[in-house]
Amino acid sequence: DIQMTQSPSSVSASVGDRVTITCRASQGFSKWLAWYQQKPGKAPKLLIYAASSLQSGVPSRFSGSGSGTDFTLTISSLQPEDFATYYCQQANSFPLAFGGGTKVEIK
Amino acid sequence: EVQLVESGGGLVQPGGSLRLSCAASGFTFSYYLMTWVRQAPGKGLEWVATIKQDGSAKYYVDSVRGRFTISRDNAKNSLYLQMNSLRAEDTAVYYCVTYSTSSRSFDYWGQGTLVTVSS
């Protein structure tokens, strides 16, 4: 089974900052990694799929990269609406698995 | 517009059973793998189970295998989760989610239904 480890678990940042979140897999795989954003009391929202493909309607300040065991989500210029919790998820094989989450907080 | 509406959550005693339902609309239900994802209070997301389009294959997280059963009725555009032998650690919001085979991601989510296991 593939386990996903996210870091950091939380990050404090200011509007306009560049934020990078890392997800590490216990076994390597090519590209089947997705990223989600969740705001309090709401269902998660898909941001990135296949490691680097932007979901329709998601702002271009979000980007994803990586393959093998290391993947990253980057927010190029943090906006007020981006303060939320972010999760990675491996979709390479069953059982599917999420990372533990990264909370992006206001500095 | 895609809509996924969960129902059936509530308070149940340890060892009890509950059946969750998800009514889908706005897309061709039979084309999608369907999934249940849960989130314990204040915790992260956990994948629970996925079922193929025709129900021919089902996948479960180890912690629920043998206790939970995922099923679907394509004629009724509905997804189900039968939960037996419930434990306190099953307390969570349960989300009904579509799983796209092309993008291998969870693209549409319901609003969730809360299951509380407590005496």
Side-chain angles (χ1 to χ4, degrees):
Chain A
D1 298 358
I2 300 174
Q3 324 297 329
M4 306 303 295
T5 303
Q6 265 182 258
S7 60
S9 57
S10 66
V11 56
S12 294
S14 301
V15 172
D17 283 353
R18 181 182 183 90
V19 173
T20 298
I21 298 168
T22 297
C23 192
R24 176 160 289 174
S26 60
Q27 303 172 36
F29 54 89
S30 57
K31 67 176 184 178
W32 297 115
L33 189 286
W35 290 96
Y36 303 85
Q37 176 194 67
Q38 187 180 33
K39 296 182 179 179
K42 300 293 187 182
K45 171 188 171 183
L46 175 64
L47 299 176
I48 302 281
Y49 61 92
S52 60
S53 296
L54 196 66
Q55 174 71 348
S56 176
V58 174
S60 59
R61 63 181 179 272
F62 291 94
S63 64
S65 64
S67 67
T69 58
D70 295 320
F71 299 86
T72 60
L73 172 71
T74 299
I75 309 172
S76 60
S77 178
L78 200 63
Q79 298 301 300
E81 60 268 31
D82 300 337
F83 292 96
T85 301
Y86 295 84
Y87 295 91
C88 64
Q89 175 246 325
Q90 73 84 8
N92 185 73
S93 59
F94 287 97
L96 306 179
F98 289 92
T102 296
K103 187 173 184 178
V104 177
E105 300 174 299
I106 301 172
K107 193 171 188 178
Chain B
E1 180 195 3
V2 171
Q3 283 201 320
L4 298 165
V5 180
E6 302 94 338
S7 60
L11 175 63
V12 61
Q13 292 188 338
S17 298
L18 213 54
R19 189 195 196 208
L20 305 184
S21 300
C22 171
S25 61
F27 65 104
T28 306
F29 182 74
S30 60
Y31 286 5
Y32 274 82
L33 281 80
M34 294 298 297
T35 293
W36 290 98
V37 172
R38 68 184 179 183
Q39 186 168 36
K43 303 296 184 182
L45 301 171
E46 181 181 36
W47 169 77
V48 175
T50 295
I51 184 169
K52 279 196 170 180
Q53 292 91 329
D54 61 359
S56 61
K58 304 174 184 181
Y59 308 92
Y60 298 93
V61 67
D62 283 349
S63 59
V64 309
R65 187 176 291 111
R67 300 187 299 122
F68 290 12
T69 302
I70 189 171
S71 62
R72 65 191 296 161
D73 185 335
N74 288 343
K76 295 183 177 180
N77 289 343
S78 293
L79 176 72
Y80 307 100
L81 186 67
Q82 177 66 44
M83 304 186 294
N84 298 330
S85 302
L86 282 161
R87 306 167 180 166
E89 54 265 35
D90 296 317
T91 294
V93 172
Y94 285 73
Y95 294 101
C96 168
V97 193
T98 61
Y99 184 69
S100 167
T101 50
S102 58
S103 65
R104 292 206 199 178
S105 59
F106 300 124
D107 44 2
Y108 296 107
W109 297 67
Q111 84 289 349
T113 187
L114 176 62
V115 172
T116 303
V117 184
S118 174
S119 54

